[in-house]
Amino acid sequence: MLRLQFSFLQPALLCLAILSTSFASARSEGGELAPPTEQPILTIEGNIGVTNAEGKALFDRPMLEAMGMATIETTTPWFDGPVKFEGVPADRIMEVVAADGTEVVAVALNDYRTTIPLADFEEHGVILALKRGGEYMQVSDKGPLFIVYPYDSDPQLHSQQFYARSVWQLARLIVR
């Protein structure tokens, strides 16, 4: 009986090891965030404890993908029919930068801004989508990053309040 219980623990322990390796790969030795090797597509600033530039955390696409990707398939007001989005869970990014706050200001490339409660990220499983329909999103098509909620998972998410938080062409997150 004990052997059977242990066999169920092995997959769980393996998952934990993989997750901690993913977080560790985003950070260099000593808990610092490794610098981007490509053009950064996301800047996080404000109340964060881990940076790789003066008071900021800069991320390129490979750094974000190394944190692990999640998929949301949902309908949106911007596209016809269900759409498959792939991206990094927003709560994971906040953990990597050691965010210490209650909200973030999301800023798009065109300077559109909205405030999002940090609790949304974990509560709703929000992702910073890099891909739509299996293809990287270009700036001309809501990319390179798009804040996506799983709108079909909860009727309350089908509202202007949550659509306004769904920033496309995301460039910065300011934790406060």
Side-chain angles (χ1 to χ4, degrees):
M1 182 83 163
L2 182 60
R3 185 174 182 93
L4 181 61
Q5 288 175 342
F6 179 71
S7 68
F8 286 113
L9 288 175
Q10 285 177 321
L13 292 173
L14 179 61
C15 287
L16 285 173
I18 290 169
L19 282 174
S20 37
T21 302
S22 294
F23 290 132
S25 69
R27 295 183 187 176
S28 65
E29 302 275 332
E32 295 299 314
L33 188 63
T37 58
E38 296 182 7
Q39 178 68 34
I41 60 172
L42 177 65
T43 300
I44 302 176
E45 55 194 293
N47 296 334
I48 60 173
V50 177
T51 62
N52 60 4
E54 193 171 317
K56 302 175 186 175
L58 305 175
F59 294 88
D60 60 20
R61 186 184 296 162
M63 290 171 72
L64 293 171
E65 289 178 326
M67 286 185 231
M69 302 279 276
T71 300
I72 293 176
E73 187 160 348
T74 190
T75 56
T76 76
W78 307 286
F79 302 104
D80 293 329
V83 179
K84 179 180 168 185
F85 294 96
E86 298 169 70
V88 181
D91 61 337
R92 188 172 300 158
I93 294 171
M94 293 296 106
E95 184 176 329
V96 167
V97 298
D100 183 22
T102 58
E103 62 187 15
V104 296
V105 176
V107 184
L109 290 172
N110 68 357
D111 210 33
Y112 170 81
R113 293 168 184 258
T114 191
T115 301
I116 304 169
L118 267 175
D120 272 17
F121 293 168
E122 184 175 350
E123 181 179 337
H124 298 295
V126 175
I127 65 170
L128 302 188
L130 292 152
K131 295 181 179 182
R132 179 174 61 88
E135 301 291 325
Y136 288 109
M137 292 184 294
Q138 302 301 311
V139 170
S140 60
D141 189 27
K142 301 190 177 9
L145 293 169
F146 185 2
I147 297 175
V148 176
Y149 285 75
Y151 309 102
D152 294 343
S153 70
D154 183 341
Q156 82 169 359
L157 297 178
H158 281 285
S159 70
Q160 188 56 41
Q161 175 185 12
F162 291 96
Y163 296 150
R165 294 176 184 172
S166 302
V167 176
W168 58 76
Q169 296 179 335
L170 178 68
R172 289 179 30 219
L173 293 171
I174 305 164
V175 179
R176 42 185 210 188

